[in-house]
Amino acid sequence: MTPAERQTSTAPCFRTRGLTKVYGSGENAVHALRGVDLDLPEGELVVLLGPSGSGKSTLLNILGGLDAASDGEVWFRDHELSAANPAALTLYRRRHVGFVFQFYNLMPSLTARENVQLVTEIADNPMKAEEALGMVGLENRLDHFPAQLSGGEQQRVAIARAIAKRPSVLLCDEPTGALDSATGIRVLQALKQVNETLGATTLVITHNAGVAAMAHRVITFSDGRIGEVRTNEHRVDPSELSW
Amino acid sequence: MTWLLRLLSPLDRKLARDLWAMKGQALAIACVIAGGVSVFLISAGMLDSLTETRRAYYERYRFADIWAPVVRAPDALAADIRRIEGVQAAETRIRAPLLFDIPGMSEPASGEAISLPDGREPLVNQLYLMEGRLPRPGQRGEAVVIDSFAAAHGLEIGDTLSATIRGGRSELTVVGRALSPEHVYTIAPGQIVPDPRLYGVIWMSRDALGEAVDQDGAFNEAIVRLMPGQDAAPVIDRLDRLLDPYGAPGAYGRDDQISDAFVSSEIEQLSTMGRILPPIFLAVAAFLVNVVLSRLVATERAEIGLMKAFGYRDRDVMAHYLKFAGLIGVLGLAIGGGAGVWLGRLMAGLYTDYYHFPFLVFTANPRVYLLALAITVAAVGGGAILAARRAAALHPAVAMQPPPPPDYSRTAGMGLTRLTLLDQPSRMILRRLVQWPGRAGFTLAGVAMSGALLVGTLYFTDAMEAMVSSYFDQSNRQDVTVSFVEPRQRSAFHEVARLPGVLAAEPFRSVAVRLYHGPAEERAAMMGVTRGAALSRMIGADGRGVETPPGGLVLSGDLAATLGVEAGDRIRVEITEGRRPVLELPVAAVVTTLIGSGVQMELGDLNALLGEGEVVSGAHLVADGDAVDRLYTALKSAPGVAGVSLQSVAERNFRALMDESMGVAIWLYTGFAGLIAIGVIYNSVRISLSESAHEFATLRVLGFTRAEVSYILLGEIGILTLIALPAGGLLGTGLAWYFAEAMSSDLFRLPFIIHPATYGFAAAVILVTTALSGLIVRARLDHLDLVAVLKARE
Ligand SMILES: Nc1ncnc2c1ncn2[C@@H]1O[C@H](COP(=O)(O)OP(=O)(O)OP(=O)(O)O)[C@@H](O)[C@H]1O
Ligand SMILES: [Mg+2]
């Protein structure tokens, strides 16, 4: 089933209407999102591009249930996130969302395996921690603490942690931002593999326009609005990317 | 607020913001400092106030140094006494026990009458006249009444008062109301708590009292003031030799004067409290300041590096952090100073209920305030300087890099925390504990210390309760003790025993004795009790009466200790009455008595030693509760009765004393211990929250609920608290033991008894404090800004 077929056969994974986000008020108000209408089909790998301050992280955080919109609607499948209370959002994150951040955010007191287990313990239908780490090529680093891993390895642990619960969506905010090119490519390969094997709708924010070539869909943001949406006819494998 | 900030230098502005951001923690530390400062101020200030007030009062009203009672000595001896070397002034006087008959009051009130020289102020033990005047010479029926008794009965100038002195009834007119340095703690002989309603003192002219007690031209007590710096012992020796022919039981100094002994014991206790408690508080405060500042320095590495890169010198950086600690210290001093003075005044007010000084103002002298300041500066500075030095020592370049992630691989990778059955959050708790043993140790020590303080201070309630129960429920089970004017034949006892309302009766004989063993010498009261005495007797450690073997003595533990004797030793006993025999007697048993001290022997043996036939000094009675008023009425008019004391009322008084003044003090200290607990626990939780805010936010992002994240945050403090509880119990037991040793005096000994409930209560206070701190911090956890935390790296 191609993404295009999925789009027609099922409702979109995410749907937003008139989404706005305003920080502060009065003179100091910052309009981070100014009316975003978006439909993201299930299972796609989407890359979000855009200048700094254009609202990419804000959108990702709202889709991930970390932040609330000021106005407008957000739907995840048939749940209206914009109407959910904090407890429901916690549950949503727990069941459906995998996060990967620029700064890994691993628990320094837990080993790679335990960091993944941290999430599998509270998930409904997780894979084994070893399996998740295997998917990102870290089967030899199971018992290492974050302090004993390189930046790229730490980021792959974070991805393993995000995918181990078989999330419906994988949200990545500049996952390669702190990594060199070669390491970044390994991380992107891991993301692609996860997207393909688990079918998780994957959103990747990046400042590297080259990365867009690996996506099903590329959304360009500017000034709190969606500027352009395009779909790639031909997707490029991460190993062929460079920056 | 903002315009104020603008006036400050940028660094000071940063300081103000940092402080404001940590206001909860700063306040908690300030409160612990305040606890130390106020305990110090209260105890040092009370100590100062009491000592200085007593000194001034004794000086101004010429409090005696030596009391020399006799049976009857001619007035002419006064000149000889004044000629003794080292004597500055001396008076002879008459002192007699009496019974009051107060209309409308069924209980008999007892007291004593003391003579005043005719037509002049006494040279020793002057009265502080609060109202009215002294009795006029020649006016037989005039009396000055001690203020506490007058107040208890609403006696005013011009009122009349009936008193029975030596069996003769006198109608007296109240002409004055006074205090006396001899009666600061106005207490009946043999009692442990003052009762202003049942015990009073009156002063009458020498003529009038002499006539009432048939002592014309004679005196029965000499009182002496010594030259400054004069040692009392040689003068006491000379007095004893001079007065020996007149039936002198022996002169004694201030340490055996009951009122002053109580005041001294109080002063002693205050100084012990003042020595122990403030250092604990300030040590904890120093600890807290150090921990909080270290944490601040760690989070501000980048800022410090920047400051230094911009050219701020090491000492600027140090000064910056010391200022931070200084401000907290100033806050603590201000709160503690205010609370200390306020509570000190409150305490002084409580003291004046029991200790009757003409004035007792809580005034710590400047030295005390300076000392409080110095100690606080030392404690806070000591705590701050280490952290500030660490800040100053940071290399600018190093400081600009983020700190490496803490490496758990060595410490936390081992043993227990590897157990597979642990869930990850529990594993995190354990590893964090092992990773930062210093922080865990600090929390442990702080919580244990506050637990120990709680147990240590609450212990007093247990000890007091044990004292009361041992004294009233076991040692002195009588309701009423009747003492005769002078020793009387056994038949007099039977008369008393037959009075209406008497259910049981037991005679006693009491004499003053001097005990000698080697170079040691002690004055004591010897009690002759009947074989199998069940009402009033010495009680052994097992709570049972001690049978006195024929011819042997039972000695209270403290007497035995000062004399250095054990059961089986023989001591020399000089009985200072009757034929005044001097005997070698065996010590049959030594028992621990909690209140008072003394020596006991079989009544018949004592009678025999004195060669006086079957003679008794008084009787202990058990009264029928329904007929007690008839008994009281009968006692008021019974011939030869010098004093009546009511044990049941005494017990009530003692409990009231415990509830009021001691109660206030104990709860005060308990409150302070609670403060330490709050300071330590709140700070610990707060620090671990801010140190791991990043991790907690990440957990929330990963879908952990608030409760699950709280578990990690509070589980740590919970485990530490649970470990600290037994440690605190142990430390507290030690502290209580120390208090028992340090606070015991000649007047009473604190038994070393801690009820399980005391541990339970202390534990409950700590647990509640932990729970509350947890709740406060948890509220912050609920408001973690997930997005903000994820943006920054650490
Ligand atoms: N907590 C906040 N308070 C006020 N304004 C905020 C806050 N968070 C974000 N903003 C503003 O909202 C706008 C969008 O921020 P956002 O983080 O979404 O940008 P971004 O596209 O992710 O940028 P970057 O690529 O630099 O990460 C920015 O102008 C930012 O200044
Ligand atoms: Mg961003």
Side-chain angles (χ1 to χ4, degrees):
Chain A
M1 204 162 46
T2 67
E5 282 165 347
R6 253 188 232 126
Q7 190 180 5
T8 49
S9 61
T10 57
C13 178
F14 283 115
R15 191 162 69 91
T16 71
R17 286 295 174 269
L19 195 65
T20 61
K21 175 74 183 178
V22 185
Y23 290 107
S25 61
E27 271 181 39
N28 297 326
V30 176
H31 293 262
L33 297 178
R34 304 168 183 266
V36 174
D37 299 331
L38 184 67
D39 287 283
L40 288 183
E42 292 277 0
E44 280 196 354
L45 196 157
V46 180
V47 165
L48 272 175
L49 292 173
S52 183
S54 56
K56 305 180 296 292
S57 297
T58 305
L59 176 69
L60 194 86
N61 292 337
I62 293 175
L63 293 180
L66 292 178
D67 208 351
S70 307
D71 203 3
E73 291 175 12
V74 199
W75 292 80
F76 165 72
R77 297 181 180 159
D78 49 1
H79 305 289
E80 187 183 353
L81 298 181
S82 42
N85 63 20
L89 286 179
T90 302
L91 209 62
Y92 159 66
R93 292 199 298 272
R94 190 174 183 138
R95 291 231 176 103
H96 299 291
V97 188
F99 280 105
V100 179
F101 308 101
Q102 182 178 359
F103 299 117
Y104 332 137
N105 290 304
L106 298 178
M107 302 293 135
S109 54
L110 299 178
T111 61
R113 189 209 313 257
E114 290 160 353
N115 260 289
V116 178
Q117 284 170 342
L118 182 68
V119 167
T120 59
E121 273 170 8
I122 60 166
D124 293 331
N125 177 31
M127 59 180 86
K128 293 197 71 107
E130 292 77 5
E131 187 189 343
L133 285 162
M135 283 179 75
V136 295
L138 283 179
E139 48 281 276
N140 300 326
R141 291 279 192 276
L142 296 180
D143 293 321
H144 286 63
F145 283 90
Q148 299 169 303
L149 296 171
S150 75
E153 287 166 337
Q154 289 185 56
Q155 189 61 301
R156 281 185 283 152
V157 174
I159 293 173
R161 184 179 64 182
I163 63 174
K165 64 171 156 187
R166 305 183 201 276
S168 314
V169 297
L170 194 54
L171 303 178
C172 315
D173 196 342
E174 300 185 39
T176 57
L179 304 175
D180 66 44
S181 153
T183 327
I185 285 166
R186 292 214 62 175
V187 166
L188 292 175
Q189 270 171 330
L191 285 177
K192 177 165 183 263
Q193 195 201 342
V194 168
N195 171 251
E196 280 161 6
T197 51
L198 298 181
T201 309
T202 306
L203 251 83
V204 180
I205 294 179
T206 178
H207 279 287
N208 184 343
V211 173
M214 69 178 274
H216 292 112
R217 188 183 296 258
V218 181
I219 300 175
T220 310
F221 247 72
S222 68
D223 200 20
R225 288 191 189 89
I226 292 176
E228 181 201 4
V229 181
R230 70 185 152 84
T231 49
N232 283 331
E233 291 299 320
H234 298 284
R235 294 172 59 206
V236 175
D237 191 77
S239 58
E240 293 163 36
L241 299 174
S242 65
W243 63 83
Chain B
M1 196 64 198
T2 10
W3 64 266
L4 233 170
L5 281 181
R6 238 172 264 138
L7 292 179
L8 298 171
S9 75
L11 260 190
D12 289 340
R13 248 178 277 169
K14 165 177 162 353
L15 187 77
R17 293 214 177 92
D18 283 350
L19 256 178
W20 186 247
M22 300 178 94
K23 55 187 176 301
Q25 281 166 276
L27 191 68
I29 299 172
C31 282
V32 173
I33 297 173
V37 170
S38 53
V39 174
F40 177 77
L41 273 187
I42 294 169
S43 45
M46 254 350 277
L47 191 64
D48 253 18
S49 308
L50 267 186
T51 316
E52 178 52 27
T53 303
R54 174 172 77 161
R55 191 201 59 73
Y57 188 30
Y58 284 1
E59 189 56 43
R60 169 71 185 77
Y61 291 89
R62 305 176 159 274
F63 185 50
D65 292 297
I66 298 170
W67 287 255
V70 293
V71 172
R72 181 192 175 96
D75 277 344
L77 272 181
D80 295 335
I81 295 172
R82 292 195 178 105
R83 270 199 300 274
I84 294 176
E85 197 184 316
V87 171
Q88 186 192 61
E91 283 289 357
T92 61
R93 63 184 187 176
I94 298 166
R95 196 168 174 177
L98 59 79
L99 284 177
F100 292 105
D101 187 5
I102 308 288
M105 186 172 96
S106 79
E107 302 104 306
S110 57
E112 65 173 346
I114 295 174
S115 75
L116 293 171
D118 284 325
R120 64 174 173 86
E121 289 263 337
L123 301 172
V124 182
N125 289 348
Q126 294 179 350
L127 296 188
Y128 173 82
L129 207 54
M130 302 178 75
E131 195 188 353
R133 56 171 175 82
L134 297 181
R136 288 214 181 86
Q139 289 288 339
R140 297 280 125 125
E142 294 186 343
V144 171
V145 180
I146 196 160
D147 176 59
S148 52
F149 190 72
H153 295 289
L155 290 173
E156 284 170 23
I157 307 293
D159 286 356
T160 55
L161 181 64
S162 306
T164 308
I165 308 175
R166 286 280 160 93
R169 196 174 164 96
S170 312
E171 295 296 324
L172 302 165
T173 306
V174 176
V175 297
R177 204 157 50 85
L179 298 176
S180 132
E182 267 183 303
H183 299 92
V184 170
Y185 198 72
T186 314
I187 192 166
Q191 288 293 316
I192 47 176
V193 195
D195 186 335
R197 213 168 62 92
L198 293 183
Y199 186 77
V201 182
I202 60 172
W203 289 269
M204 296 166 65
S205 81
R206 175 73 174 259
D207 278 357
L209 190 57
E211 198 168 282
V213 301
D214 206 12
Q215 288 265 25
D216 279 336
F219 66 92
N220 68 5
E221 187 176 63
I223 43 179
V224 168
R225 245 179 99 78
L226 296 173
M227 299 285 198
Q230 170 67 43
D231 186 18
V235 179
I236 288 178
D237 264 1
R238 294 280 311 272
L239 276 168
D240 282 349
R241 259 177 285 144
L242 182 68
L243 298 175
D244 193 60
Y246 307 98
Y252 57 91
R254 285 182 182 177
D255 46 349
D256 283 319
Q257 203 264 340
I258 193 69
S259 162
D260 190 57
F262 270 96
V263 178
S264 300
S265 151
E266 188 64 41
I267 287 177
E268 190 60 41
Q269 287 175 36
L270 274 173
S271 92
T272 304
M273 276 298 195
R275 267 200 311 271
I276 298 176
L277 293 180
I280 296 182
F281 279 94
L282 294 170
V284 171
F287 238 163
L288 283 174
V289 166
N290 181 269
V291 169
V292 169
L293 271 192
S294 300
R295 150 76 196 147
L296 194 66
V297 168
T299 52
E300 293 187 343
R301 289 163 60 91
E303 279 109 314
I304 295 167
L306 211 61
M307 278 161 66
K308 296 180 83 169
F310 287 164
Y312 281 100
R313 286 161 303 187
D314 285 1
R315 62 182 141 98
D316 300 328
V317 174
M318 252 183 92
H320 175 68
Y321 288 98
L322 286 179
K323 251 191 235 173
F324 186 92
L327 283 174
I328 296 179
V330 167
L331 185 64
L333 268 177
I335 300 176
V341 170
W342 179 69
L343 290 169
R345 295 211 175 117
L346 201 85
M347 276 283 252
L350 285 172
Y351 271 109
T352 51
D353 286 349
Y354 291 94
Y355 297 92
H356 304 291
F357 290 104
F359 47 85
L360 177 60
V361 206
F362 177 79
T363 46
N365 76 34
R367 186 181 48 81
V368 169
Y369 291 108
L370 274 178
L371 211 59
L373 181 73
I375 298 174
T376 310
V377 168
V380 175
I385 215 141
L386 291 173
R389 285 240 310 262
R390 205 169 316 144
L394 274 178
H395 194 274
V398 175
M400 295 289 275
Q401 292 155 3
D407 185 357
Y408 280 82
S409 58
R410 243 162 303 157
T411 47
M414 61 191 178
L416 186 66
T417 65
R418 284 280 191 202
L419 283 177
T420 41
L421 52 100
L422 281 177
D423 59 0
Q424 306 313 321
S426 305
R427 203 185 305 283
M428 285 175 69
I429 296 178
L430 289 184
R431 293 227 174 116
R432 288 152 63 93
L433 285 177
V434 183
Q435 176 78 6
W436 285 293
R439 196 175 69 186
F442 154 75
T443 307
L444 251 170
V447 176
M449 251 196 256
S450 53
L453 262 188
L454 280 168
V455 171
T457 50
L458 287 168
Y459 150 75
F460 283 103
T461 343
D462 291 346
M464 291 289 170
E465 187 53 50
M467 265 170 63
V468 173
S469 114
S470 145
Y471 186 80
F472 290 106
D473 301 343
Q474 298 181 338
S475 263
N476 294 280
R477 298 197 283 197
Q478 71 276 22
D479 297 316
V480 179
T481 297
V482 175
S483 45
F484 298 141
V485 172
E486 49 200 5
R488 296 172 67 189
Q489 289 305 310
R490 189 90 179 209
S491 58
F493 160 71
H494 292 301
E495 276 165 36
V496 171
R498 274 198 301 273
L499 288 176
V502 175
L503 295 180
E506 214 170 75
F508 66 88
R509 175 79 175 97
S510 76
V511 289
V513 295
R514 275 190 249 188
L515 309 174
Y516 302 89
H517 184 252
E521 175 188 344
E522 276 294 308
R523 281 163 32 90
M526 162 108 77
M527 278 290 164
V529 303
T530 50
R531 201 168 300 281
L535 297 182
S536 178
R537 69 267 158 85
M538 282 186 170
I539 294 292
D542 58 355
R544 279 191 292 177
V546 179
E547 275 308 317
T548 324
L553 302 171
V554 179
L555 224 58
S556 67
D558 61 310
L559 267 183
T562 40
L563 288 170
V565 298
E566 292 168 18
D569 290 347
R570 297 177 75 83
I571 57 173
R572 194 150 61 85
V573 179
E574 183 184 330
I575 300 180
T576 58
E577 250 180 56
R579 296 184 311 170
R580 314 188 59 122
V582 180
L583 312 139
E584 287 278 330
L585 295 173
V587 175
V590 172
V591 296
T592 306
T593 52
L594 300 182
I595 298 181
S597 62
V599 48
Q600 173 181 299
M601 116 179 268
E602 211 275 316
L603 175 56
D605 288 348
L606 183 56
N607 283 154
L609 290 176
L610 285 164
E612 60 186 6
E614 289 207 325
V615 161
V616 297
S617 309
H620 302 297
L621 310 177
V622 176
D624 175 357
D626 297 330
V628 77
D629 285 348
R630 278 164 61 213
L631 173 60
Y632 290 161
T633 314
L635 281 173
K636 282 187 216 169
S637 54
V641 170
V644 177
S645 67
L646 307 180
Q647 291 301 316
S648 45
V649 179
E651 181 171 356
R652 237 182 296 137
N653 289 339
F654 194 96
R655 290 187 184 279
L657 173 79
M658 274 166 59
D659 289 348
E660 286 167 28
S661 61
M662 282 186 230
V664 169
I666 289 168
W667 286 110
L668 200 72
Y669 291 131
T670 307
F672 285 140
L675 264 187
I676 288 197
I678 294 173
V680 171
I681 297 174
Y682 177 73
N683 266 294
S684 301
V685 188
R686 212 38 206 82
I687 286 171
S688 68
L689 172 64
S690 50
E691 273 177 356
S692 310
H694 214 73
E695 289 174 45
F696 293 137
T698 304
L699 287 169
R700 294 279 289 123
V701 169
L702 294 178
F704 280 77
T705 62
R706 285 168 189 176
E708 284 163 344
V709 176
S710 307
Y711 167 69
I712 299 178
L713 175 64
L714 302 181
E716 192 177 337
I717 194 82
I719 289 180
L720 289 176
T721 304
L722 289 182
I723 301 175
L725 283 181
L730 218 63
L731 266 178
T733 308
L735 193 62
W737 179 85
Y738 176 78
F739 280 143
E741 294 292 307
M743 298 265 185
S744 292
S745 67
D746 289 353
L747 299 171
F748 59 84
R749 279 145 302 278
L750 287 178
F752 178 55
I753 293 174
I754 309 176
H755 286 303
T758 297
Y759 292 112
F761 184 83
V765 170
I766 301 277
L767 289 176
V768 167
T769 308
T770 309
L772 285 180
S773 311
L775 279 180
I776 298 175
V777 176
R778 211 202 126 164
R780 294 184 152 258
L781 196 61
D782 290 349
H783 295 115
L784 272 184
D785 186 342
L786 304 188
V787 177
V789 176
L790 294 179
K791 268 188 201 158
R793 166 168 204 162
E794 280 297 297

